[in-house]
Amino acid sequence: MTITGNFADFSLPELLQFLDQGKKTGLLYIEFLPDADKSKKQVYYIWLHQGRVVSAADRLDQQGLTLMIAQRGWISERVISRVTQISSCFINSPLGLCLKSQGLVQPEQLKLLFNSQVLRPVCSLFQVKDALFKFEPTSSLPLGEMTGLSMSATEVILIGLRALRDWTALEEKLPDPTSGLSGLMVKQPKMQLNAQEWQVWEFVNGQVSLQHIANQLTIPIKTVQQIAFRLIVVGLAEEYFMVAATPTFTLEEPLSAATPVVTFPEPVQEFVPATKSIEKPAEKSSVSQSFLKNLVGFLRSKTS
């Protein structure tokens, strides 16, 4: 099913989470007008395989990755072209993995390419408020534009929102300071959270407002709202509207500055071609009822 819309109604983090939870495979097309030149539109393409982001580019000729490698001085475009013509692995395998199998690039170089090709540009798109998008399911993936590494859309969301400095585009999406957070999981999340996210998670009980959480942790309310949004958009919590005065909440033990930072595990995985067995996807996290209700209403308005 083709999905179309605007970031003003359905933000990119929310869209990526929806595609991840649905284990979607296809092409996400994004069109927006840059601030500097309103007369020239820009387009960006993000490819997903079973909910994992496998590639991204601002072109469709499958030459972006080759140019990126050549610009770094690792391999010339002529050599890459020649190798792809004579090697059989390029028939059904990503360009990056084939170059690695030939000893032309190293695993660490592929990780650097994935960060530059996918993470940085996709995360920068979180700052775009007004853009049109269209997702089209397709089984055809651009092997010539793929490093062979991938990352779940949820992990891309977390990394992108943690690094985001300008929240203007997502300002209206932030939960209200008078709201609380209600957890969607009984146990602690398996998702890798950083130290501040864990601290806010300890208050996910539907009884404490975000303002009280900010006061208790002595961090700005905007920071708590942003952390709360991250927990909500990745399906760990939902906004809980307080109907009575928020009780005073006191920790039995004060938080220490020595709270350990939870580091991210190795996030990228090699892409599995269709000819190989595919690992069983990890168990999906619960989706908030309010998120589903808003999504259904959004999709109905687009199909009517």
Side-chain angles (χ1 to χ4, degrees):
M1 177 182 68
T2 299
I3 304 172
T4 61
N6 192 299
F7 283 174
D9 302 317
F10 206 43
S11 69
L12 181 56
E14 292 172 317
L15 177 59
L16 288 176
Q17 178 65 4
F18 170 72
L19 297 175
D20 190 351
Q21 291 185 333
K23 303 300 177 186
K24 301 295 184 181
T25 297
L27 171 61
L28 177 59
Y29 169 93
I30 299 170
E31 177 183 326
F32 61 96
L33 296 175
D35 294 335
D37 185 1
K38 292 294 184 180
S39 64
K40 183 181 179 181
K41 70 178 182 181
Q42 292 186 355
V43 294
Y44 210 78
Y45 309 94
I46 303 174
W47 287 269
L48 296 98
H49 179 261
Q50 294 188 345
R52 298 183 66 85
V53 179
V54 296
S55 184
D58 58 1
R59 55 203 295 170
L60 289 174
D61 59 0
Q62 299 197 39
Q63 294 300 308
L65 183 59
T66 294
L67 182 60
M68 190 176 293
I69 294 172
Q71 288 176 337
R72 283 165 168 72
W74 295 344
I75 318 172
S76 69
E77 294 181 64
R78 182 183 62 83
V79 171
I80 294 177
S81 176
R82 179 59 178 167
V83 172
T84 56
Q85 292 175 7
I86 63 177
S87 177
S88 60
C89 78
F90 289 93
I91 298 176
N92 60 1
S93 295
L95 174 63
L97 292 185
C98 289
L99 294 177
K100 188 182 77 168
S101 69
Q102 300 294 317
L104 295 175
V105 295
Q106 301 301 314
E108 289 302 319
Q109 291 176 309
L110 289 182
K111 293 177 183 178
L112 290 174
L113 288 172
F114 186 84
N115 287 338
S116 298
Q117 181 201 47
V118 175
L119 288 181
R120 292 177 187 171
V122 171
C123 294
S124 69
L125 289 176
F126 289 171
Q127 301 179 72
V128 178
K129 183 176 182 179
D130 188 16
L132 300 176
F133 67 79
K134 179 172 67 173
F135 177 78
E136 291 185 341
T138 176
S139 58
S140 176
L141 295 174
L143 297 177
E145 201 70 87
M146 294 167 57
T147 60
L149 303 181
S150 68
M151 180 179 290
S152 74
T154 299
E155 290 174 316
V156 173
I157 293 168
L158 276 177
I159 292 174
L161 292 180
R162 285 168 180 162
L164 192 62
R165 294 295 176 263
D166 184 0
W167 281 76
T168 304
L170 298 172
E171 193 72 28
E172 297 179 357
K173 299 286 185 178
L174 298 180
D176 193 271
T178 62
S179 298
L181 288 176
S182 178
L184 296 176
M185 303 179 66
V186 178
K187 300 180 180 180
Q188 285 192 343
K190 297 180 180 179
M191 202 172 298
Q192 296 293 331
L193 304 179
N194 63 28
Q196 278 194 333
E197 289 163 351
W198 275 117
Q199 289 177 334
V200 174
W201 173 259
E202 295 297 326
F203 293 87
V204 177
N205 55 18
Q207 300 178 11
V208 187
S209 71
L210 298 185
Q211 184 62 66
H212 276 72
I213 295 175
N215 295 340
Q216 184 69 35
L217 299 178
T218 63
I219 57 179
I221 180 58
K222 282 296 182 183
T223 301
V224 174
Q225 287 177 282
Q226 293 164 5
I227 294 174
F229 177 76
R230 294 203 292 267
L231 297 178
I232 292 171
V233 80
V234 299
L236 294 180
E238 64 179 347
E239 185 173 3
Y240 184 85
F241 297 97
M242 312 293 288
V243 295
T246 304
T248 301
F249 187 90
T250 304
L251 292 178
E252 293 181 359
E253 296 182 3
L255 292 173
S256 170
T259 303
V261 175
V262 182
T263 57
F264 241 93
E266 193 62 46
V268 292
Q269 297 180 5
E270 290 193 358
F271 174 77
V272 181
T275 56
K276 297 181 180 180
S277 60
I278 300 177
E279 294 183 1
K280 183 179 179 181
E283 184 179 351
K284 304 176 185 177
S285 60
S286 301
V287 185
S288 71
Q289 295 300 315
S290 60
F291 176 79
L292 284 177
K293 183 178 179 181
N294 292 335
L295 177 59
V296 171
F298 169 77
L299 294 178
R300 284 177 177 172
S301 67
K302 296 302 176 182
T303 57
S304 60

